[in-house]
Amino acid sequence: MSKKSLLRQSAQTALAAAAFAVAGGLSVMPAHAQEQPAPAIDRTVLPHPNQSFEGVIAPTRAESRPDWVDPVTAPEGAPNVFLIMTDDVGFASASTFGGPVPMPNLDRLAERGLTYTQFHTTAVCSPSRASLLTGRNAHAVGGGILFDIPTGYPGYSAVIPQSAATIGRVLRDNGYSTAWFGKHHNAAPWNSMAGPYEQWPTGLGFDYFYGFVGGDVNQWEPRLYRGTSLVEVELPEGETLDHEFADDAIHWLHTQNAAAPDRPFFIYYAPGTAHAPHQAPMDWINRFEGQFDQGWDRLREQIFARQRASGIVPRGTRLTPRPDGFPAWDSMSPDAQRVYSRMMEVFAGMLSYQDAQIGRIFDELERMGELDNTLVIFIGGDNGGSAEGALTGSLNEIGTFSNSVEHDVPTLLEAMPNFGGPDTYQHFPGAWAWSLNTPFQWSKQISSHLGGTRNSMVLSWPDGIRREGGVRRQFSHLNDIMPTILEATGIPAPVTVDGVTQQPLDGVSLMYSFDQPNAPEQHRTQYFELSGTRAIYHDGWMANTRPTRLPWQFLNEDAPGDAPVVWELYNLRRDFSQSRDLAAQEPERLEALQQLWDEEARRNNVYPIDDRSFSARGVDGALAYAGARRSNFTYWGPDISIMTHDAPAFVLQPFEISAQVQLPNAQTNGVLVATGSQFGGWSFYLDEGRPVAVHAVSGPSGLVYRVAADASVPAGDALIRYTFTPDRPAPLAGGTMRIFIGDRLVGEGHIERTILTTAGLGETFDTGRDTGAPVTRDYENEGRFEGEIERIDVTLGSAR
């Protein structure tokens, strides 16, 4: 029994003793509290109704009898819960599952727990996270696509409904302390820093949140939120964000234990590793030097051999071939092989560094005496390994798939010494992801095949699982995690929350498999759908569509309009790797499964099927909400930082920036306005008194345009204006930047091309400084403005 269990067991005794001491030896516990047992808590209604007053109220205290409110507590002996989900990590990345990246802390978790080899996600991040947190299918809670790009249909609303309370909310209202560290990505763009906050982690049932809200974050220079407030972050020298999250989680554990030692905790830990940007401390990257020179084809064979030897894959499993569109390693030039091997070394360094940081939390839980009664659930990835780096990888993830930035091998070779550092935002070639999804076909984005949806999962609970170590092969899914936690904690799924009737949970608890390795699986049916790719699992069989695009094409290329929908059929109980298509042999079974998929799709709000690219959906949403967007923005001073979707978008239109300032001298320095970063952004600043405009398309080794005035702004009150006139209203089109002091033109230059999306996804629009990763290294210390900013106005759609 853990220390917290003992504390909870004696909590009432301790309270009574304290009251006795305060009263000088006279117990002040009311007689009815001593004589009557506490009323049973109805845990199916949240928040728990205020208990009815059963005392007596009379004119005098002597005639009255109080009735003390009993605080809600967790069920006796309920375990702590530590739920971990990593990002874009393929099934076969970690050593625990035969992979090439040593993860000793995950290994030790598996040694004292259970390894699940048929665990499934949704093939992309937002839907997976929505399903995990709610115990429901993603479309059933508005999460059928990335929350950045909602569409006007219930299954794609990007709003988790009140009828689907999260596991955090249910545990919090049942006596748990709840905390969330890391990635959110389940809030639509209109959930701004000014509210509403219902879809932020603190609005979804978590007492504490420290992390980022978008799809990825710069690991070296992150923009993070504590609660709903943007905070300044200064990482220790040489460390990246995973170190910060581990530090903060440990500090929260210490604080929680000090303040409420009798309360169990629930931690949801979702670091951005190993989503792009692939970044890690250089000494961790160098540990893998030369380990991937054999290439992705040979690496896949090596992984498969280890999987067979360890029993991760059953006997008779076949290694699926490389898909068309992924190049053979031997077809690469020697220079390309050098570059691509180093990119894989960066990924491995990043993932192993993450394991070390999570291990620090395990160590601290053990030191505190809490690990044995902590249910640890480690989910290796929210989807299969990501092939979004396309054929060649990239120095700039956002630049490649949003801003049409390409990097040839000579450019990559020149930048290779900086790989993984703060001046790259890189992603490896897609074939590495395919290799890390061994033995399956395809990758992230492909919900029809196991390379997109089959992920690793390890579960450990020494006080609750009699059998330590072992493989479980029952079909399981993200939506099973909430039911598992509820059964383990002894808390029923609520019937109503805040008066709203709750949707039934779609998953089933996995506790039936804890002590029975061969128990019949209880999750018998599960549909999959993402961007037109489809699959249905039922009693060991899977019917699925065949992809019509390569994984990275889902980002910005629509499906071919004339491509037929071809269905395949697999018997997964005899074909672990989804390698033998039986559609021609069993047409009746295939037809029945297609009908079942349709029934599940209708029940879960999957229709209408939308196979357009993420970019096309994003444009659709932007147009739908265009009427709500402003064309005029005013900022009343410096040190304002807001999310980019609440800020002016310098895209596809003219714009003007007008800054009213007071300068101490004619050599004043500092930023007036900055948005994005060196990987995609704009900065407008003074350099020794001269106004400058910088547009980074893909810096620092890529395209950067700089227009500077030929005169300085004199001391005193001044009006500085920047205007941009596009050459044509087209994506990525260039234009003319003009700089004025008052109405006097002092600078002009042509910017050859522009961007559609600022980068990274967590960067902000700032006044008076440039936070996070800077747009340019022309200034230091965030380029803090040395004068006074009275007002900045931004006008979109016109430029004088």
Side-chain angles (χ1 to χ4, degrees):
M1 182 177 290
S2 74
K3 292 179 180 178
K4 283 198 173 178
S5 297
L6 293 171
L7 283 165
R8 287 196 291 274
Q9 198 173 58
S10 59
Q12 290 295 331
T13 303
L15 286 171
F20 185 86
V22 169
L26 298 175
S27 175
V28 296
M29 294 294 287
H32 80 280
Q34 298 173 352
E35 298 167 359
Q36 301 178 16
I41 298 174
D42 182 2
R43 297 185 188 273
T44 66
V45 179
L46 300 179
H48 300 296
N50 293 329
Q51 65 187 53
S52 59
F53 181 76
E54 297 180 0
V56 175
I57 300 176
T60 68
R61 181 176 179 277
E63 299 172 283
S64 303
R65 178 167 56 85
D67 182 19
W68 300 89
V69 174
D70 295 310
V72 176
T73 58
E76 185 65 35
N80 306 307
V81 181
F82 187 14
L83 174 60
I84 304 165
M85 175 183 266
T86 60
D87 203 337
D88 281 7
V89 177
F91 176 82
S93 298
S95 53
T96 319
F97 287 78
V101 182
M103 297 183 68
N105 291 293
L106 183 58
D107 291 343
R108 68 165 162 154
L109 195 71
E111 288 168 2
R112 60 186 302 183
L114 304 174
T115 300
Y116 286 77
T117 63
Q118 296 197 53
F119 184 82
H120 298 81
T121 60
T122 71
V124 81
C125 55
S126 292
S128 286
R129 293 162 195 276
S131 182
L132 173 68
L133 288 170
T134 65
R136 282 93 174 176
N137 291 322
H139 297 80
V141 294
I145 193 63
L146 297 182
F147 275 49
D148 315 72
I149 50 174
T151 60
Y153 299 96
Y156 309 90
S157 66
V159 177
I160 295 176
Q162 291 180 308
S163 57
T166 70
I167 182 62
R169 173 65 193 273
V170 176
L171 292 183
R172 186 196 69 185
D173 285 9
N174 278 284
Y176 272 74
S177 299
T178 57
W180 180 335
F181 301 89
K183 179 173 176 175
H184 182 21
H185 210 194
N186 280 138
W190 54 79
N191 293 277
S192 76
M193 293 165 62
Y197 298 122
E198 288 86 354
Q199 298 286 310
W200 284 64
T202 51
L204 293 172
F206 289 83
D207 300 317
Y208 180 83
F209 170 63
Y210 184 53
F212 56 101
V213 297
D216 69 31
V217 70
N218 191 313
Q219 298 285 318
W220 288 105
E221 298 173 287
R223 299 295 276 143
L224 302 180
Y225 297 82
R226 199 180 301 277
T228 58
S229 298
L230 196 61
V231 294
E232 303 296 325
V233 180
E234 186 173 346
L235 302 179
E237 185 175 356
E239 306 288 356
T240 54
L241 182 55
D242 280 328
H243 186 277
E244 173 74 4
F245 283 148
D247 273 0
D248 205 70
I250 291 169
H251 181 262
W252 182 87
L253 282 167
H254 291 168
T255 302
Q256 189 271 350
N257 186 267
D262 57 327
R263 299 189 72 182
F265 63 77
F266 170 52
I267 288 179
Y268 173 43
Y269 194 83
T273 308
H275 194 292
H278 294 166
Q279 298 169 319
M282 192 59 64
D283 59 324
W284 284 83
I285 297 171
N286 289 338
R287 297 179 188 194
F288 294 93
E289 187 172 357
Q291 294 190 25
F292 302 104
D293 292 352
Q294 73 275 38
W296 42 69
D297 292 307
R298 179 60 182 145
L299 176 62
R300 190 168 161 94
E301 294 170 356
Q302 293 168 339
I303 292 171
F304 187 55
R306 289 192 292 267
Q307 290 175 331
R308 287 191 299 181
S310 65
I312 290 296
V313 303
R315 291 181 181 179
T317 300
R318 297 201 306 183
L319 182 61
T320 56
R322 179 174 7 90
D324 293 339
F326 286 76
W329 179 259
D330 290 344
S331 70
M332 301 288 101
S333 70
D335 282 347
Q337 290 180 349
R338 284 180 58 206
V339 167
Y340 301 157
S341 294
R342 186 59 172 175
M343 286 181 161
M344 181 59 201
E345 292 167 16
V346 172
F347 175 90
M350 184 182 194
L351 192 59
S352 60
Y353 178 78
Q354 178 206 63
D355 178 79
Q357 307 315 309
I358 293 175
R360 291 170 52 214
I361 305 175
F362 291 164
D363 291 343
E364 193 61 16
L365 287 172
E366 190 165 33
R367 187 177 77 91
M368 295 169 67
E370 296 291 347
L371 191 58
D372 284 351
N373 197 37
T374 297
L375 171 61
V376 180
I377 303 172
F378 189 109
I379 301 170
D382 50 353
N383 41 247
S386 171
E388 291 162 336
L391 296 175
T392 62
S394 173
L395 292 175
N396 185 347
E397 172 215 12
I398 305 296
T400 295
F401 70 71
S402 289
N403 298 325
S404 298
V405 173
E406 297 181 358
H407 298 108
D408 57 19
V409 170
T411 301
L412 294 173
L413 269 175
E414 184 179 351
M416 200 163 75
N418 298 321
F419 280 6
D423 287 333
T424 65
Y425 212 87
Q426 74 189 62
H427 203 311
F428 59 18
W432 285 123
W434 163 73
S435 179
L436 296 175
N437 293 330
T438 300
F440 309 116
Q441 302 181 60
W442 297 110
S443 65
K444 177 183 177 180
Q445 306 283 2
I446 311 292
S447 74
S448 56
H449 286 73
L450 297 178
T453 60
R454 180 71 63 83
N455 283 83
S456 60
M457 199 265 276
V458 173
L459 187 150
S460 174
W461 182 19
D463 280 0
I465 300 175
R466 291 195 301 271
R467 292 179 153 214
E468 290 192 355
V471 173
R472 298 294 181 269
R473 301 197 189 279
Q474 293 88 350
F475 182 95
S476 50
H477 189 272
L478 286 165
N479 57 30
D480 296 332
I481 298 302
M482 181 171 176
T484 302
I485 294 172
L486 291 180
E487 184 177 0
T489 57
I491 296 171
V495 175
T496 64
V497 175
D498 294 331
V500 178
T501 300
Q502 295 295 286
Q503 299 170 218
L505 297 178
D506 291 311
V508 300
S509 171
L510 298 176
M511 281 191 67
Y512 75 91
S513 68
F514 284 7
D515 298 317
Q516 300 183 53
N518 300 315
E521 67 187 23
Q522 295 184 12
H523 194 140
R524 298 177 56 198
T525 303
Q526 180 63 49
Y527 82 91
F528 299 86
E529 190 280 334
L530 181 68
S531 297
T533 62
R534 282 155 272 178
I536 182 80
Y537 174 87
H538 181 68
D539 286 346
W541 288 83
M542 177 170 276
N544 55 270
T545 58
R546 185 175 298 163
T548 59
R549 286 174 285 180
L550 294 169
W552 53 88
Q553 293 173 330
F554 283 80
L555 300 171
N556 49 32
E557 295 183 33
D558 292 345
D562 57 351
V565 177
V566 178
W567 284 79
E568 301 170 343
L569 178 67
Y570 298 91
N571 182 351
L572 295 186
R573 289 188 179 155
R574 296 184 178 181
D575 181 13
F576 181 85
S577 62
Q578 199 181 17
S579 66
R580 301 179 183 90
D581 181 7
L582 303 176
Q585 291 95 312
E586 300 223 31
E588 292 181 358
R589 188 187 298 274
L590 176 59
E591 184 178 356
L593 287 172
Q594 288 173 304
Q595 178 62 35
L596 181 59
W597 186 92
D598 176 74
E599 293 170 5
E600 289 294 292
R602 294 178 187 279
R603 184 175 70 85
N604 287 280
N605 295 327
V606 175
Y607 288 124
I609 298 297
D610 190 343
D611 60 4
R612 292 174 302 158
S613 68
F614 287 8
S615 296
R617 291 192 188 198
V619 170
D620 221 22
L623 291 174
Y625 292 104
R629 289 196 59 83
R630 296 173 287 161
S631 58
N632 296 288
F633 303 77
T634 299
Y635 304 98
W636 298 95
D639 298 323
I640 296 170
S641 292
I642 58 175
M643 295 177 178
T644 54
H645 55 67
D646 293 324
F650 302 142
V651 177
L652 298 175
Q653 59 189 326
F655 63 83
E656 177 174 345
I657 298 172
S658 176
Q660 298 178 24
V661 299
Q662 289 184 352
L663 305 185
N665 54 60
Q667 290 79 43
T668 301
N669 293 297
V671 171
L672 299 168
V673 170
T675 183
S677 73
Q678 61 183 333
F679 306 108
W682 298 81
S683 182
F684 305 89
Y685 60 97
L686 298 186
D687 181 10
E688 296 294 324
R690 293 193 310 152
V692 180
V694 165
H695 181 41
V697 174
S698 182
S701 58
L703 298 173
V704 179
Y705 299 99
R706 188 176 191 271
V707 178
D710 56 14
S712 297
V713 184
D717 294 339
L719 176 65
I720 305 167
R721 294 193 299 118
Y722 299 85
T723 69
F724 180 75
T725 306
D727 296 335
R728 61 190 186 283
L732 310 177
T736 300
M737 176 67 66
R738 295 182 176 89
I739 304 174
F740 299 82
I741 300 175
D743 291 326
R744 179 167 62 100
L745 179 65
V746 293
E748 181 174 336
H750 192 259
I751 293 175
E752 295 297 325
R753 55 159 300 180
T754 56
I755 60 174
L756 284 174
T757 305
T758 57
L761 297 182
E763 293 293 336
T764 52
F765 177 97
D766 306 314
T767 65
R769 56 179 180 153
D770 184 357
T771 64
V775 176
T776 172
R777 301 288 182 182
D778 286 354
Y779 39 76
E780 298 178 349
N781 190 32
E782 298 184 334
R784 287 183 173 274
F785 192 68
E786 296 172 351
E788 294 184 18
I789 295 176
E790 296 181 351
R791 171 175 176 164
I792 294 175
D793 292 283
V794 179
T795 303
L796 302 179
S798 65
R800 289 189 289 139

